[in-house]
Amino acid sequence: MNNAARWLADQWRIWITVLVVAVVAGTTAVVWVNRSPVQPPEVSATGGRFRISHRLDSTPVPQWTLRAADLSDEPGAVLLAAPQTLDRYYGYGSPMDTGTMIVAATAVPGGPGPGENAGLTVGPVRMHGIDPATGQVRWTTDVGELLGCREQVFDGKIACHGTNRVLIIEAATGAVLADHTTDFEVMDVAVRDGAVSVTGRTADWMTAVVTRGTASAIDATWRRTYPTPIPGDPVRPRIAQDYFMDGHDRSVRVYDLRTGELLFTAPGGYTFDSGIVASQVIDRSGSAGRVTLLDRNGHPITEVSNPSFVFDWYPTATATPPPILTGESAYERTTGRILWTNAQIGIDDSAGRQCAIEGVVGDTVIVGSPDGLQLAGLDLTDGHQIWQQPTPFSNASRYSRFDGITDASHLILTDGITVHAIDAGDGSSAWSMPLPPSGRPNFRSAVKAMGGRMVTVTAQEFTGYAAA
């Protein structure tokens, strides 16, 4: 999975446990199973996660490269790890995708932060909007001190927050649409369909504060407080799709983000964009335990057989929303009905069952094998295996991790050293290229989808590519 996914998994670990990503490595066997049609149809949908807009049938060509010095005239400015970490510098940085624009953040680092491994504190942040095609800086906006911004950008609005601050920026122009000071500690901000939602907590951490409104008035619709039901247990409210959640372990409270009403309480939950919630009871050993798919009101839909840690954040490009893939089965995204079962979508290991899915491209689910030696393509409609190929990565092991994007025809994976484009139709390798060295031993070079383009990211620079 890519760096965005890895960050999301880190957040999810707060609620459940460590998510271990399935891996693939090399072998020699090639197995074919017929499917009609042989080639998957061209995917016309513009959506999908980690999706670029241009098809890459051959090795792409670098078009431009940017470093902090190309963006900011401040002496000593560095590239920050946008969007999550805008208050610290750990020796590396990365831009963020906002749909049609790439946005990078720079600041000048100061002294070390409190505690070990706290990184360097940074001063006021500058954001820069970059044309994905040319690498030209279209706008620069001084945004002051921030903690971070939300990963997903809807409606072209970047939602950011400081300790007591809500900031909303227009991604296309860099215009500040809202800059509010709050009387509570802000923990999460989301903008979607014109509505601004903010979650936070009081200074003693014992009461959640949630507001719903507009960019001009963040509490115009409503503002509510939710005292902790357990004395001494800090609240940690977060926004998840059309919900917000608080609590942990077996007592996660799930609320309607539109109304603020409590819907139900269940074990730690993962939300899907269709409204379904996956409730997960972690086994004492740390394995996946028990997973149940719930409807919007918390009513059980189905129990997941041989469950894995619920994960729905891999490269995706399909003509219609894909099913929920977890455990051993595919579940219809809105009803939770089982569509098909194939144990290959998960991997059993000592830490429990893990997700084996590397990506979903067109009509193909691409998974890694339990021994880490192969990749396989499964038919998205009924789950049967249509191809099996050796992984193109040399020196890989079952413990390897891969970042990925897709152009709706290929799954483009990297191990931080090389990049391979895998044809979703037959699993063959369309092209390969080396990645620029990361520049730091603790930072993997990555491939990302930004502004509809393939972008490679190292510790101090990022490069945009185009089709050859």
Side-chain angles (χ1 to χ4, degrees):
M1 67 182 158
N2 67 16
N3 291 340
R6 194 153 48 245
W7 175 83
L8 189 69
D10 289 341
Q11 300 301 305
W12 175 233
R13 276 195 292 267
I14 297 174
W15 299 84
I16 52 170
T17 188
V18 175
L19 180 65
V20 180
V21 180
V23 297
V24 292
T27 189
T28 57
V30 179
V31 179
W32 294 90
V33 177
N34 290 331
R35 175 175 66 175
S36 180
V38 175
Q39 294 297 330
E42 188 72 20
V43 177
S44 59
T46 58
R49 297 189 178 97
F50 316 126
R51 163 85 184 271
I52 60 177
S53 56
H54 300 283
R55 179 166 171 164
L56 299 178
D57 289 317
S58 58
T59 307
V61 178
Q63 298 292 295
W64 49 263
T65 297
L66 291 174
R67 299 172 65 91
D70 302 314
L71 303 171
S72 176
D73 58 4
E74 293 183 286
V78 296
L79 185 67
L80 301 179
Q84 302 91 3
T85 309
L86 301 181
D87 63 332
R88 293 285 189 274
Y89 179 64
Y90 293 92
Y92 55 85
S94 174
M96 64 181 290
D97 177 35
T98 67
T100 58
M101 189 78 68
I102 297 172
V103 173
T106 59
V108 177
E116 295 183 8
N117 303 317
L120 300 176
T121 60
V122 299
V125 176
R126 284 184 175 178
M127 285 189 173
H128 314 268
I130 299 153
D131 187 317
T134 65
Q136 293 184 342
V137 179
R138 297 302 186 189
W139 54 262
T140 293
T141 302
D142 291 322
V143 295
E145 295 184 358
L146 289 173
L147 295 176
C149 302
R150 193 163 183 83
E151 180 82 27
Q152 289 181 281
V153 174
F154 294 104
D155 308 326
K157 308 296 189 294
I158 307 172
C160 308
H161 73 280
T163 304
N164 297 99
R165 186 184 181 201
V166 172
L167 180 71
I168 301 172
I169 300 166
E170 178 66 59
T173 64
V176 175
L177 303 178
D179 192 353
H180 301 283
T181 300
T182 65
D183 59 357
F184 57 91
E185 177 187 351
V186 179
M187 303 189 73
D188 206 355
V189 180
V191 181
R192 191 167 188 177
D193 299 329
V196 177
S197 302
V198 182
T199 64
R201 58 188 179 186
T202 53
D204 62 1
W205 294 6
M206 293 297 113
T207 301
V209 181
V210 183
T211 68
R212 178 87 165 173
T214 63
S216 58
I218 60 174
D219 58 357
T221 305
W222 50 262
R223 169 175 170 149
R224 294 191 178 186
T225 57
Y226 304 85
T228 178
I230 304 174
D233 188 28
V235 294
R236 294 183 288 270
R238 67 188 263 276
I239 298 168
Q241 306 292 352
D242 293 326
Y243 307 94
F244 67 92
M245 297 181 174
D246 188 29
H248 51 88
D249 299 328
R250 294 174 180 264
S251 297
V252 175
R253 298 173 292 282
V254 181
Y255 299 83
D256 190 319
L257 187 62
R258 298 165 299 182
T259 66
E261 296 297 326
L262 177 66
L263 296 173
F264 59 90
T265 299
Y270 182 96
T271 62
F272 296 91
D273 52 14
S274 60
I276 287 179
V277 177
S279 172
Q280 186 153 26
V281 179
I282 304 300
D283 190 88
R284 289 185 177 182
S285 65
S287 62
R290 178 181 176 183
V291 175
T292 306
L293 299 183
L294 312 175
D295 68 13
R296 184 172 183 83
N297 295 309
H299 300 136
I301 298 173
T302 187
E303 187 99 1
V304 174
S305 176
N306 194 10
S308 57
F309 288 103
V310 182
F311 192 62
D312 192 45
W313 199 248
Y314 32 72
T316 304
T318 55
T320 59
I324 296 170
L325 299 164
T326 189
E328 294 185 344
S329 300
Y331 299 85
E332 204 282 325
R333 200 166 192 87
T334 57
T335 66
R337 177 176 60 90
I338 293 180
L339 300 175
W340 50 262
T341 295
N342 187 325
Q344 289 174 275
I345 67 173
I347 292 177
D348 294 313
D349 64 19
S350 58
R353 189 166 178 80
Q354 312 298 334
C355 178
I357 300 169
E358 297 291 350
V360 181
V361 183
D363 286 337
T364 306
V365 182
I366 300 174
V367 299
S369 61
D371 58 8
L373 300 178
Q374 300 169 330
L375 292 176
L378 312 179
D379 191 301
L380 183 62
T381 59
D382 62 17
H384 81 272
Q385 181 175 299
I386 54 176
W387 56 257
Q388 187 173 352
Q389 293 271 24
T391 176
F393 293 95
S394 61
N395 302 318
S397 74
R398 63 179 302 174
Y399 304 106
S400 299
R401 296 179 306 166
F402 300 100
D403 298 318
I405 62 174
T406 180
D407 64 355
S409 296
H410 306 88
L411 179 62
I412 301 168
L413 294 177
T414 178
D415 59 357
I417 301 173
T418 59
V419 181
H420 297 278
I422 299 159
D423 190 304
D426 60 16
S428 62
S429 183
W431 53 264
S432 302
M433 59 175 264
L435 263 184
S438 72
R440 287 186 66 89
N442 63 339
F443 185 87
R444 281 167 43 114
S445 295
V447 171
K448 297 189 176 185
M450 294 190 174
R453 298 279 176 142
M454 173 177 146
V455 176
T456 62
V457 180
T458 68
Q460 276 86 34
E461 65 184 29
F462 55 102
T463 300
Y465 289 74

